[in-house]
């Protein structure tokens, strides 16, 4: 596949095809206008919303974010951000399904503590089992452990999302080899989630073969979120094209661009 074919290089989540491989969140922006402009600049088709922190209909006295990020334009991905146990995560997903008229696609995250925001793997696995059995299409946030990633796939999660680095850290991918191993062994889409800081981080994730990247803080906390959203979009596209093109082998020593063999003098 050449770079010119990437316009039709779709990927599938829960039976639906998407062109944009950049998924974005809605938190931490200064206002709703900035949120909308940044998301538009990102080109994202999937937008994740923290049900415990954002009104999607559970509070009639506050603006409903779905009035500006409409479900007819974006795939809404309710997430369980802020949940630290199985029961609250499952309850949050069921609330989202009720508020969104039977919507089944959710992002599951069960956090271990408020300082690191690392996933609690044991509770994540348990919640995933319950939600899959209950008919949800589960996109699951986890650590970068290839064994755990495979277990979550085997449970029935439709997407596995290993972290690049701690949530909101902006450190970029800390363990490329683990991400590569997860990608190589997966039969479901793999999206890097959490820890991306700039466009080059997103490009690295895509060059490793990830199907996409989900981010929020890297865009929202930039000095110019709208411009950063545009940069992230281009980083994703460049990284994907580089992966499809197949990079040259890395070599220890130099290799002349113009070999001496066949020269005239």
């Amino acid at each position: 596949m050449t770079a010119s074919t990437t316009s039709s290089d779709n990927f599938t989540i829960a039976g639906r095809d998407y062109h944009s491989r950049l998924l974005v969140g809605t938190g931490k922006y200064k206002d709703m206008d900035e949120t909308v402009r940044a998301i538009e600049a990102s080109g994202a088709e999937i937008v994740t919303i923290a049900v415990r922190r954002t009104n999607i209909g559970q509070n009639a006295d506050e603006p409903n974010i779905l009035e500006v990020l409409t479900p007819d334009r974006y795939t809404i991905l309710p997430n369980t951000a802020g949940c630290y146990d199985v029961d609250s995560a499952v309850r949050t997903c069921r609330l989202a399904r009720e508020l969104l008229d039977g919507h089944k696609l959710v992002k599951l995250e069960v956090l271990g503590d408020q300082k690191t925001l690392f996933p609690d793997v044991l509770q994540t696995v348990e919640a995933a089992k319950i939600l899959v059995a209950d008919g949800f299409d589960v996109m699951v946030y986890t650590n970068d452990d290839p064994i755990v990633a495979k277990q979550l796939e085997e449970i029935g999660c439709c997407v596995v999302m290993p972290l690049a680095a701690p949530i909101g850290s902006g450190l970029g991918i800390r363990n490329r080899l683990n991400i590569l191993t997860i990608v190589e062994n997966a039969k479901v889409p793999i999206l890097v989630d959490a820890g991306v800081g700039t466009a080059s981080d997103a490009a690295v994730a895509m060059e490793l073969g990830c199907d996409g990247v989900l981010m929020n803080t890297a865009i929202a906390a930039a000095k110019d979120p709208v411009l950063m959203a545009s940069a992230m979009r281009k980083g994703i596209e460049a990284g994907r094209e580089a992966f499809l093109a197949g990079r040259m082998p890395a070599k220890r020593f130099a290799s002349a661009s113009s070999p001496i063999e066949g020269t005239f003098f």
Side-chain angles (χ1 to χ4, degrees):
M1 184 178 293
T2 65
S4 62
T5 66
T6 55
S7 60
S8 59
D9 176 36
N10 297 336
F11 75 120
T12 304
I13 294 178
R16 182 171 175 178
D17 290 339
Y18 296 94
H19 172 60
S20 173
R21 294 172 180 271
L22 175 57
L23 292 70
V24 296
T26 57
K28 301 184 179 180
Y29 291 97
K30 67 179 182 181
D31 54 37
M32 192 66 71
D33 177 67
E34 184 179 76
T35 303
V36 172
R37 289 188 297 116
I39 291 174
E40 288 178 347
S42 76
E45 297 170 284
I46 300 177
V47 177
T48 186
I49 295 174
V51 179
R52 293 168 63 91
R53 299 170 181 161
T54 308
N55 183 33
I56 60 171
Q58 65 269 46
N59 189 340
D61 298 326
E62 295 181 3
N64 187 334
I65 196 170
L66 300 183
E67 293 176 359
V68 292
L69 300 175
T70 57
D72 61 335
R73 181 173 181 181
Y74 299 101
T75 293
I76 304 301
L77 179 61
N79 70 59
T80 61
C83 292
Y84 292 86
D85 58 75
V86 172
D87 290 343
S88 62
V90 171
R91 186 168 60 251
T92 298
C93 289
R94 288 171 174 165
L95 172 62
R97 180 170 62 183
E98 181 178 341
L99 292 170
L100 297 174
D101 298 323
H103 185 86
K104 298 194 300 178
L105 185 66
V106 294
K107 177 192 170 185
L108 170 65
E109 56 181 80
V110 184
L111 304 178
D113 63 76
Q114 295 186 13
K115 181 179 181 180
T116 68
L117 299 182
F118 280 126
D120 183 319
V121 172
L122 295 179
Q123 295 205 69
T124 297
V125 169
E126 183 61 26
K129 290 178 180 178
I130 294 170
L131 291 170
V132 169
D134 198 18
F136 285 93
D137 296 317
V138 180
M139 300 173 62
V140 59
Y141 166 69
T142 184
N143 60 20
D144 59 2
D145 183 335
I147 304 302
V148 172
K150 195 63 181 179
Q151 290 174 341
L152 289 165
E153 175 187 325
E154 292 171 348
I155 286 170
C157 295
C158 65
V159 176
V160 176
M161 301 189 292
L163 55 79
I167 292 173
S169 67
L171 291 173
I173 297 177
R174 297 292 86 195
N175 196 331
R176 298 187 186 189
L177 292 179
N178 274 21
I179 298 296
L180 182 61
T181 300
I182 290 170
V183 169
E184 290 176 340
N185 291 331
K187 296 180 180 178
V188 298
I190 301 298
L191 309 181
V192 157
D193 179 16
V196 168
T198 191
S200 57
D201 299 331
V204 167
M206 300 307 297
E207 289 169 2
L208 289 171
C210 292
D211 295 280
V213 180
L214 191 154
M215 66 181 75
N216 184 185
T217 307
I219 296 175
K223 292 181 179 179
D224 186 336
V226 177
L227 187 58
M228 182 59 81
S230 176
M232 290 297 189
R233 178 179 187 170
K234 295 165 187 170
I236 292 285
E237 292 171 353
R240 178 62 179 173
E241 288 185 0
F243 172 74
L244 295 174
R247 66 157 290 160
M248 62 167 284
K251 300 178 180 179
R252 182 179 177 187
F253 297 107
S255 177
S257 298
S258 300
I260 61 173
E261 292 83 359
T263 55
F264 294 109
F265 56 87

